[in-house]
Amino acid sequence: MVTIELTEGWRFFDAEGDYDLPVSLPFDSVSTMVKAGHAPEPYVGDAEAALRWIAERDWVLCRSVELTQTDVELVLSGLDGVVGVSVNGVDVVTADNAFRTWRVDLSHCARLGDNQIALRFRSVIQAAEARQKAQPFYIPYHKGNCPIANINMLRKQQCDFGWDWNTALAPFGVSGGVSICSAMKTRIAHLHVAQAHHDTESQSVSVTVTAHVVHGEGAVAEMRFAGRRREAVVKDGVAQAVFFIEEPQLWWPNGQGDQPLYSLEIRCGAAVAMRRIGLRRIEHVTVKDAKGTGFKFRVNGRDVFAKGANWIPADALHGRIERDKVRDLLQSAVDAHMNMIRVWGGGRYEPDWFYDLCDDMGLMVWQDFMFACNLYPADRAFLSNVAAEVVEQVQRLQHHACLALWCGDNELLGMLHEFPEARANRDRYLVMYDRLNQTLEHALFEADPQANWWPSSPSLGPFNYGDAWHEDSSGDMHVWTVWHENMPFEAYREMTPRFVSEFGFQSFPSMDVIRRFIAPEDRNMASPVMDAHQKNAGGNARIVGTMMRDFRLPERFEDLVYLSQVQQGLAIKTAVTAWRALKPHCMGTLYWQLNDTWPCASWSSLDYGGGWKVLHHMAARFYAPVLVTVVPQGGSDVFKLINDLSGEVDVSIQVAAVTPKGDVRPLAEVSVTAMTHKAFEVLELERDLLKQDEFYVFTWQYRGQHEGQNEGGEGGDIHAPKPFKAYDLIDPKITFETNDLDGVIEIILAAEALALFVTLDADQPGRFSANAVTLLPNVPQKIIFVPQDADITTNFTVQHLYKATLGGAK
């Protein structure tokens, strides 16, 4: 019997009998009801609360299937919720973990001919409440994040019940699939791929492939890898072969080299498994030094500064996630010179194709286990369920070249300090946390003894339960003082972290997103609808309040939206450049967050839908491989140079002062050779060299060796020693002309005076080559726009700081 994929032909109906809908797999409950016209679009206006009734009911998913034999298994993956599964009226399993695959023997209940399969989805809201009540004592969850209670009781996406950037719709459904196969069919359950790099230059690699085969005892497994062929007999369910590769082509993170992938194919009878393997060695290095304990990633013997962002689910409703749209989000990360993303622990383990994309693109993955900002049960049933989840996920993902680190959780240690129940009975909840953490660690190393492991994020290190939000001597930090504690951006420069895995500042979504989801009458920062699209308490007020520190306030809604994005970009730029300037003391910055799950005010640099906010355009510059930045120190300004390429580069730097009129006064010029192992000072200027109304403007050009090839480039930036509101800007009178160049549009910008954060907007989707740029008089700048549809005429508008804060009312 061939495997029967049960994708089509399902009916989805509620226990009350009000709805009966056809569905295909995969699906989620909310998207299904919206598509059928039984619920409003949840992302428009303030419709969110009107859809929660879907999760308050029990639902059934059912269909029939014809069988020609009865010794079969039912295989279910991605059952999202608490799901009772029955076949021909016989209960066969209760699936209560969205991150597991369930394989059920049906020989006792299957029959020849017609068979009825039913999946009964219990209300996730009621199931979570019932499991909380069954605990011997209350286990707290983060009420500030989750307006729907008790998500910590369920093994499903934690942000489904809400987060401080996510809508609370409590979706459920099937994110994977359902199939039936012969119970005795030979199958390759999973593979384990181990690499041994035999010298410091990685000039030879041995790859050990272990295939775990079910119902194949004594059979011959044929394995092909890197042009070599091996045969191995299945013994005790295992077939193993070793491949020795001389002069391998090594896999490198983005910006460090290429990403070659070798094909691996295993055949055992009719069973086939195929993988793509990148040959690399990623070490997670945590070495004690005079200041504490370092934290960095070493790839193929080379220390790599991790540049990237945190990844959350691509949509609040998993039924709306599409591979091509995810590819675009990840490509945007690559285009901004990122080499790492952190798959955050309140979302989901992404599907296989996500990690394939990261392999292709050179994006190292910091992978959290799916626990975030709550405390969790520690009874045997829960921990056993978690252990099975971990083993399955690690076995599934272990072979990927991109996989750099497994981390136990997101911010659980902090919850021991935050929740009053935990403060009142710390020993109890600390022991519970430790049991969960040990379960994760033991299951990880059972599945992959070579894995890189970090117990929690943030963390000062194993068995250290101190405050990694404010202690910067060791491990990884989450720096939230600027946003949550309302500190100035300069506070980032006062910290000397080893690795920052979360930090961020909010902005409003771009106007094209606002126009799609918020009606004109609701486009006011204090409107109930704008509040509904802001999930962090007081967030809108904090954006505007912070703005008053550095900028003159805009009068128009559109200008306020634009300026919020400029402000966000400056916040993250201040942090990243300060911490890159600490290299090698600091060896990584992953800002919060790359993407959005729905249209909202958030910390993302990519809008919902994938458009680039101002921050992302800035990130493409402040994450550039060769960077010059200004670090204020007392009454001086120190210019520091960072080189993240594989070899040294020769750099020429020019520094000048510029006035709002655009008058340029040269200050200094220097040429240096930049090594790769650390940032270093190239120039120090007394700040009183600048006149009252002057900014620094500086440019640089570099040339050198990278991965054996000549490489060169250039960059430029400005630095304002005072708040921007202290400068009397004048109207730069920007003009632009456009040229259609075979499907892409060239835009040439020019200004008569200094123009800051000049940002183009298009009335159709597309990608600008740059934005939020600085224009000097008589120095035109070319920007390329690639429209999504080249057959549509595109109209452009231009925004800049003077127009937003001084000229907007004119």
Side-chain angles (χ1 to χ4, degrees):
M1 183 183 107
V2 297
T3 297
I4 304 173
E5 298 290 346
L6 304 179
T7 303
E8 307 292 337
W10 294 91
R11 289 174 46 232
F12 182 59
F13 56 90
D14 65 319
E16 283 83 350
D18 294 333
Y19 303 95
D20 190 338
L21 308 173
V23 300
S24 58
L25 306 185
F27 85 106
D28 74 72
S29 54
V30 177
S31 295
T32 297
M33 294 296 287
V34 172
K35 186 176 181 180
H38 297 306
E41 167 53 48
Y43 299 166
V44 171
D46 56 356
E48 171 187 345
L51 283 89
R52 290 184 190 160
W53 64 269
I54 300 171
E56 293 170 352
R57 298 188 180 190
D58 293 348
W59 295 76
V60 178
L61 184 70
C62 69
R63 65 158 286 172
S64 63
V65 59
E66 292 283 327
L67 294 179
T68 58
Q69 67 184 71
T70 58
D71 55 336
V72 294
E73 291 180 329
L74 180 66
V75 183
L76 311 108
S77 65
L79 297 196
D80 185 10
V82 178
V83 189
V85 182
S86 65
V87 176
N88 297 326
V90 178
D91 294 335
V92 295
V93 70
T94 297
D96 61 350
N97 191 327
F99 310 128
R100 289 183 59 186
T101 298
W102 309 85
R103 185 175 290 271
V104 186
D105 181 6
L106 300 184
S107 59
H108 64 295
C109 59
R111 58 195 180 206
L112 298 177
D114 184 71
N115 291 259
Q116 297 295 319
I117 301 175
L119 281 62
R120 292 177 172 81
F121 289 84
R122 185 178 179 185
S123 161
V124 288
I125 295 174
Q126 295 175 16
E129 181 181 11
R131 293 191 173 203
Q132 179 70 266
K133 289 179 178 178
Q135 295 296 320
F137 47 83
Y138 176 70
I139 302 178
Y141 69 96
H142 201 298
K143 295 181 176 65
N145 285 337
C146 299
I148 304 174
N150 303 313
I151 185 61
N152 54 338
M153 295 294 107
L154 301 180
R155 292 311 298 142
K156 76 189 306 292
Q157 190 166 283
Q158 297 293 277
C159 62
D160 279 347
F161 280 20
W163 219 261
D164 58 1
W165 39 261
N166 197 36
T167 181
L169 295 170
F172 58 92
V174 180
S175 62
V178 179
S179 62
I180 292 178
C181 63
S182 172
M184 298 306 294
K185 177 183 178 181
T186 299
R187 61 183 175 86
I188 300 171
H190 66 273
L191 302 177
H192 185 274
V193 180
Q195 300 183 26
H197 293 246
H198 296 297
D199 55 62
T200 56
E201 299 299 325
S202 298
Q203 291 303 307
S204 62
V205 179
S206 59
V207 177
T208 302
V209 179
T210 305
H212 294 261
V213 184
V214 178
H215 304 309
E217 196 68 18
V220 174
E222 179 188 37
M223 304 186 189
R224 296 181 181 271
F225 181 69
R228 297 157 175 80
R229 179 179 177 276
R230 302 282 187 272
E231 289 186 348
V233 176
V234 179
K235 183 178 180 181
D236 297 327
V238 172
Q240 189 175 87
V242 179
F243 297 85
F244 192 75
I245 314 299
E246 292 277 9
E247 299 183 359
Q249 294 180 304
L250 296 181
W251 183 96
W252 290 96
N254 179 42
Q256 295 293 315
D258 295 330
Q259 295 81 43
L261 298 168
Y262 292 79
S263 295
L264 170 64
E265 179 180 323
I266 298 100
R267 294 182 178 271
C268 188
V272 180
M274 303 183 73
R275 303 286 189 271
R276 296 182 309 150
I277 308 299
L279 300 180
R280 91 292 184 266
R281 177 177 62 221
I282 298 181
E283 301 169 81
H284 180 222
V285 181
T286 55
V287 176
K288 291 185 180 299
D289 57 27
K291 296 184 179 180
T293 304
F295 188 112
K296 63 183 175 184
F297 294 91
R298 181 173 293 156
V299 184
N300 304 325
R302 182 189 304 165
D303 290 346
V304 174
F305 192 102
K307 299 181 289 192
N310 283 257
W311 173 268
I312 59 176
D315 202 288
L317 301 172
H318 64 71
R320 296 184 172 186
I321 295 175
E322 301 175 22
R323 177 172 180 163
D324 286 346
K325 292 181 179 179
V326 171
R327 179 195 294 273
D328 184 64
L329 295 172
L330 295 175
Q331 185 61 52
S332 290
V334 170
D335 292 343
H337 302 291
M338 296 185 190
N339 57 28
M340 175 175 276
I341 57 170
R342 174 180 174 232
V343 178
W344 170 75
R348 65 178 192 161
Y349 308 96
E350 295 291 345
D352 293 335
W353 52 259
F354 177 92
Y355 302 92
D356 288 338
L357 291 172
C358 291
D359 287 343
D360 289 336
M361 296 180 179
L363 285 171
M364 294 185 289
V365 173
W366 167 318
Q367 177 69 56
D368 281 0
F369 289 110
M370 293 299 118
F371 302 88
C373 297
N374 300 307
L375 295 178
Y376 292 88
D379 57 89
R380 291 179 181 177
F382 186 87
L383 295 181
S384 176
N385 196 355
V386 166
E389 165 193 325
V390 170
V391 168
E392 177 177 340
Q393 294 298 332
V394 174
Q395 289 174 344
R396 178 174 72 94
L397 302 178
Q398 174 270 335
H399 71 280
H400 282 283
C402 64
L403 193 59
L405 183 72
W406 287 96
C407 178
D409 63 73
N410 175 78
E411 297 188 349
L412 266 60
L413 288 173
M415 299 307 105
L416 293 170
H417 302 278
E418 181 162 336
F419 295 139
E421 297 86 356
R423 292 197 302 269
N425 199 338
R426 180 174 171 82
D427 289 352
R428 167 190 283 173
Y429 291 99
L430 178 59
V431 168
M432 290 177 61
Y433 168 81
D434 185 61
R435 288 182 178 180
L436 172 62
N437 197 254
Q438 286 199 47
T439 297
L440 297 172
E441 182 179 5
H442 294 164
L444 167 64
F445 287 118
E446 173 190 338
D448 184 11
Q450 294 180 317
N452 291 327
W453 158 255
W454 188 245
S456 181
S457 183
S459 173
L460 297 170
F463 305 109
N464 189 328
Y465 305 120
D467 181 6
W469 278 266
H470 299 90
E471 170 58 54
D472 63 1
S473 66
S474 302
D476 73 311
M477 289 187 75
H478 290 187
V479 177
W480 284 109
T481 49
V482 169
W483 174 257
H484 287 300
E485 299 178 28
N486 200 30
M487 296 182 70
F489 299 165
E490 289 74 21
Y492 288 128
R493 297 190 177 112
E494 297 171 5
M495 305 169 196
T496 56
R498 314 311 299 264
F499 192 107
V500 191
S501 45
E502 274 192 30
F503 61 104
F505 199 90
Q506 276 199 355
S507 75
F508 298 114
S510 300
M511 281 305 303
D512 66 318
V513 175
I514 290 173
R515 292 186 191 104
R516 280 183 283 147
F517 295 98
I518 297 176
E521 62 270 20
D522 295 317
R523 294 171 195 167
N524 181 291
M525 291 308 164
S527 75
V529 170
M530 288 296 291
D531 283 344
H533 287 253
Q534 167 62 269
K535 296 302 182 182
N536 185 241
N540 289 354
R542 188 169 296 120
I543 293 172
V544 176
T546 302
M547 203 176 286
M548 295 175 66
R549 290 202 300 243
D550 292 318
F551 299 100
R552 305 181 191 190
L553 281 183
E555 295 182 15
R556 299 189 310 153
F557 176 84
E558 293 84 351
D559 295 334
L560 197 62
V561 167
Y562 156 80
L563 196 57
S564 79
Q565 294 199 7
V566 170
Q567 174 174 261
Q568 178 193 33
L570 288 172
I572 305 309
K573 174 188 173 184
T574 301
V576 169
T577 54
W579 297 333
R580 285 188 71 186
L582 296 175
K583 178 185 177 180
H585 176 85
C586 178
M587 283 300 290
T589 60
L590 308 177
Y591 65 73
W592 185 270
Q593 67 214 59
L594 180 67
N595 56 308
D596 268 334
T597 59
W598 75 305
C600 64
S602 84
W603 298 269
S604 72
S605 64
L606 297 175
D607 276 313
Y608 178 71
W612 286 32
K613 295 161 79 170
V614 165
L615 168 56
H616 208 80
H617 284 286
M618 288 191 181
R621 298 192 285 270
F622 63 61
Y623 272 152
V626 177
L627 179 74
V628 177
T629 189
V630 175
V631 179
Q633 292 182 0
S636 299
D637 292 304
V638 176
F639 288 75
K640 286 203 169 184
L641 173 60
I642 303 102
N643 170 24
D644 287 338
L645 297 176
S646 61
E648 63 182 40
V649 294
D650 295 323
V651 186
S652 297
I653 304 166
Q654 305 83 36
V655 182
V658 61
T659 67
K661 285 185 177 181
D663 297 329
V664 176
R665 182 169 61 90
L667 295 178
E669 187 168 345
V670 63
S671 296
V672 296
T673 298
M675 309 299 288
T676 65
H677 66 285
K678 69 175 184 177
F680 61 99
E681 177 181 329
V682 294
L683 182 67
E684 181 174 356
L685 297 177
E686 296 296 323
R687 195 167 304 129
D688 58 16
L689 286 175
L690 287 181
K691 298 176 183 177
Q692 183 69 16
D693 63 344
E694 287 182 326
F695 303 82
Y696 288 114
V697 58
F698 50 102
T699 55
W700 63 92
Q701 307 80 38
Y702 67 89
R703 180 159 296 279
Q705 285 281 311
H706 177 57
E707 284 295 288
Q709 303 293 322
N710 290 325
E711 180 160 326
E714 60 184 11
D717 204 353
I718 65 162
H719 177 75
K722 298 180 296 185
F724 285 95
K725 68 181 182 181
Y727 296 89
D728 291 323
L729 301 179
I730 64 174
D731 187 352
K733 297 180 181 179
I734 294 175
T735 60
F736 64 88
E737 63 180 66
T738 62
N739 301 301
D740 194 334
L741 304 176
D742 194 23
V744 303
I745 301 171
E746 177 189 75
I747 305 141
I748 301 175
L749 292 160
E752 295 182 10
L754 178 67
L756 300 175
F757 310 112
V758 180
T759 301
L760 288 162
D761 186 27
D763 63 356
Q764 70 150 314
R767 181 71 47 80
F768 290 98
S769 61
N771 242 334
V773 300
T774 300
L775 293 180
L776 296 174
N778 304 314
V779 185
Q781 190 160 157
K782 183 191 301 180
I783 293 177
I784 300 298
F785 179 72
V786 182
Q788 196 173 88
D789 188 342
D791 294 328
I792 299 176
T793 300
T794 306
N795 298 299
F796 299 98
T797 56
V798 64
Q799 182 62 284
H800 50 90
L801 188 59
Y802 173 84
K803 179 180 177 183
T805 59
L806 294 169
K810 297 181 180 179

